Amino acid sequence: MTKQLFAVMATGLALMAATPALAQQGGSTVTAATVQGPILSFSVNEEVRSRPDQASVGAGVTTTAPTAVEAMRANAAAMDKLIAAAKARGIKPADIQTSGINLSPQYDYSNQGNGQPPRFIGYQVSNTVRATTGKIDDIGPLLDALVAAGGTNIEGPWFGMKDADAQLVGARGAAIKAAEAKAADYARLAGYRGAELVSISEGGSFGGPQPPMPYGRGLMAAEAKATPVEPGQVANTLTLSFQYRLVK
């Protein structure tokens, strides 16, 4: 490193000690100092990718009838078959949850071009449940069973981890080691003897649901093979924010 660079860094630190100015470079921040020394703030990210150990799928039915009562009754009967199919595939009742029910009037707008008002044609009901399972290899057959039971609205699957935080135990240690090395490097470059840890805070994304895979009746093979589903891996991201005090 040239003498000119050391001179620039020394000048910057001197200015920060004298004023409450803020200097930032490469995602790291050195704030104006207390009498003990300037504070260095930065974040370290660690990502752990793992095969998911649970998945959720959404399934529902849509029914239409002349009256709201008839539409609701028809939908309830269809949903009973759908829920029974999920239970038959080993889904526990506690892992089946209604995610949405919608009742709305339906109109025919095809005659509006002739100045006619919309024609009322009945009521439509949509009901959807979400089923969660730890049997990743059974997702394809589960989807097929829900469609065979009358499911017309299929969503998912969404993959995740039951205990995402446990996947990050090693990542925390790696992040702390990386932070120590980074702080020591800043201290050396700025002409300080070392850096003392002031605070740590944690954030991140822990095994959240992954984007659902497209699914529909058209994916079912003519020879009744189970729908192929590949779980891949889910990402668990840990973000640790650090503050170090540079010391002479």
Side-chain angles (χ1 to χ4, degrees):
M1 183 174 296
T2 64
K3 292 183 179 179
Q4 290 86 345
L5 177 57
F6 277 120
V8 170
M9 294 177 63
T11 301
L13 287 171
L15 288 173
M16 287 163 49
T19 68
L22 180 69
Q24 183 170 345
Q25 180 178 357
S28 300
T29 303
V30 180
T31 62
T34 63
V35 293
Q36 293 88 352
I39 298 296
L40 172 67
S41 301
F42 60 87
S43 297
V44 175
N45 297 316
E46 291 288 336
E47 182 181 84
V48 178
R49 301 188 67 85
S50 310
R51 188 180 191 274
D53 59 10
Q54 71 174 11
S56 298
V57 297
V61 292
T62 299
T63 55
T64 303
T67 69
V69 171
E70 291 176 295
M72 289 292 286
R73 286 176 177 172
N75 193 274
M79 285 302 296
D80 282 343
K81 295 180 181 179
L82 197 71
I83 293 172
K87 292 179 178 178
R89 294 299 311 180
I91 307 297
K92 299 176 181 178
D95 293 329
I96 302 175
Q97 184 178 55
T98 298
S99 57
I101 300 175
N102 180 266
L103 169 65
S104 60
Q106 300 296 299
Y107 296 90
D108 179 7
Y109 294 92
S110 60
N111 291 327
Q112 279 194 304
N114 299 324
Q116 299 294 320
R119 181 175 64 88
F120 174 74
I121 58 177
Y123 286 89
Q124 185 178 85
V125 177
S126 296
N127 191 340
T128 303
V129 296
R130 179 172 289 197
T132 302
T133 179
K135 300 177 181 178
I136 301 297
D137 294 336
D138 195 48
I139 295 299
L142 172 62
L143 289 170
D144 293 339
L146 294 173
V147 172
T152 55
N153 309 323
I154 302 295
E155 300 175 343
W158 298 272
F159 296 102
M161 305 296 298
K162 294 177 184 177
D163 187 3
D165 190 65
Q167 306 291 316
L168 299 173
V169 173
R172 289 189 181 93
I176 289 174
K177 288 183 179 179
E180 291 174 348
K182 188 172 185 176
D185 195 40
Y186 267 97
R188 178 181 61 82
L189 292 172
Y192 283 78
R193 175 174 55 85
E196 295 178 346
L197 179 63
V198 174
S199 68
I200 304 176
S201 60
E202 180 175 314
S205 175
F206 306 124
Q210 302 299 298
M213 299 173 61
Y215 185 84
R217 289 179 181 269
L219 294 180
M220 298 181 67
E223 61 271 24
K225 290 180 60 178
T227 297
V229 174
E230 295 295 335
Q233 292 185 326
V234 294
N236 303 300
T237 304
L238 173 73
T239 301
L240 293 184
S241 297
F242 297 87
Q243 283 191 325
Y244 282 85
R245 177 175 288 111
L246 302 184
V247 295
K248 286 292 187 179

